[in-house]
Amino acid sequence: MKTKLALIMVALSIIISLFTLNEISASSVYTVRKGDTLWKISRKLQVGLSEIIEANPQLSNPDLIYPSQKINIPILRKAKSVEGQVIDLTNQERQKNGLSPLQVDWQLSRVARYKSRNMRDVGYFSHRSPTYGSPFDMMKSFNIEYSQAAENIAAGQTSAEQVVREWMDSPGHRKNILTGSYTHIGVGYAKGGSYGTYWTQMFITK
């Protein structure tokens, strides 16, 4: 099976290039409590606000919700499981090299997930998205704040173990994974498309 890898990194303002909800498997129901807003629910449950709104077409005005109202919460069970495996394996590699583990940033993972889906749905394999621009433009458009950032992408790998192994076997990707100054990570996985799977790792320093 064909596979691809690519990476990109940026430090402050210097950028150096080195090399749909159709995945929602289920939804749960949340009962609105006094003081809740969709934004607060999204933060509490670590699910994107736009995804919650899309999962609730019955809401004529998303700004108006009421106690005891039922809200559908999309769950990305399979994707999040695979993404969690990539994060765990990445942190294992860092710890082998005497580095602190990266903290999971759910909002960054949401951006990485959008990037993987975008590569699949639009049909490209590149750090520059026809939809979102560069990874750094994309992070900023999703209100991700950082002082340093990097991105690894891959396509065609069939498991978390394979994609992390191939990244570690590539000097540039390995450098991103083992950069000690990065503090947070987000991972996005999408199944389908011409390569079968798409993977995105995003690293930031907060």
Side-chain angles (χ1 to χ4, degrees):
M1 179 179 289
K2 59 184 179 179
T3 64
K4 279 192 174 184
L5 295 172
L7 63 95
I8 196 167
M9 60 188 299
V10 63
L12 299 176
S13 62
I14 300 174
I15 299 175
I16 305 173
S17 178
L18 300 174
F19 287 12
T20 39
L21 289 176
N22 58 349
E23 289 173 346
I24 293 173
S25 58
S27 64
S28 62
V29 176
Y30 176 87
T31 302
V32 177
R33 301 174 182 176
K34 184 177 180 181
D36 273 342
T37 64
L38 290 187
W39 171 248
K40 288 181 180 179
I41 294 169
S42 125
R43 301 285 292 186
K44 183 188 304 182
L45 301 182
Q46 299 189 355
V47 177
L49 177 59
S50 61
E51 286 92 327
I52 293 178
I53 292 173
E54 188 166 347
N56 290 275
Q58 78 279 10
L59 297 177
S60 57
N61 184 349
D63 291 329
L64 293 176
I65 58 174
Y66 306 96
S68 300
Q69 192 172 5
K70 304 297 182 183
I71 302 295
N72 296 317
I73 305 298
I75 300 173
L76 298 160
R77 288 197 181 107
K78 184 174 181 181
K80 286 189 175 181
S81 173
V82 173
E83 292 160 5
Q85 292 173 36
V86 172
I87 292 168
D88 289 344
L89 290 166
T90 298
N91 277 330
Q92 288 175 25
E93 295 296 339
R94 288 176 63 87
Q95 289 175 315
K96 287 178 190 175
N97 287 272
L99 300 172
S100 299
L102 297 164
Q103 297 180 51
V104 180
D105 187 310
W106 73 269
Q107 291 174 307
L108 191 61
S109 283
R110 179 171 175 252
V111 179
R113 199 174 297 125
Y114 267 83
K115 176 63 177 286
S116 290
R117 291 177 185 164
N118 187 242
M119 288 192 290
R120 176 197 64 194
D121 297 342
V122 178
Y124 70 96
F125 181 77
S126 172
H127 291 291
R128 179 165 288 277
S129 162
T131 309
Y132 301 107
S134 76
F136 318 109
D137 295 333
M138 188 174 183
M139 290 181 199
K140 289 177 181 176
S141 71
F142 279 81
N143 298 313
I144 302 295
E145 296 183 357
Y146 62 87
S147 59
Q148 290 180 299
E151 178 184 81
N152 287 343
I153 59 175
Q157 294 78 11
T158 58
S159 68
E161 290 81 6
Q162 182 186 2
V163 73
V164 174
R165 182 174 65 251
E166 292 188 12
W167 277 330
M168 288 299 294
D169 287 342
S170 165
H173 297 85
R174 179 186 177 91
K175 182 177 180 181
N176 278 346
I177 289 172
L178 299 182
T179 294
S181 57
Y182 295 138
T183 58
H184 293 74
I185 187 173
V187 171
Y189 166 78
K191 189 173 181 180
S194 59
Y195 282 96
T197 58
Y198 293 83
W199 309 80
T200 303
Q201 268 187 329
M202 290 181 169
F203 307 89
I204 59 172
T205 302
K206 287 191 175 182

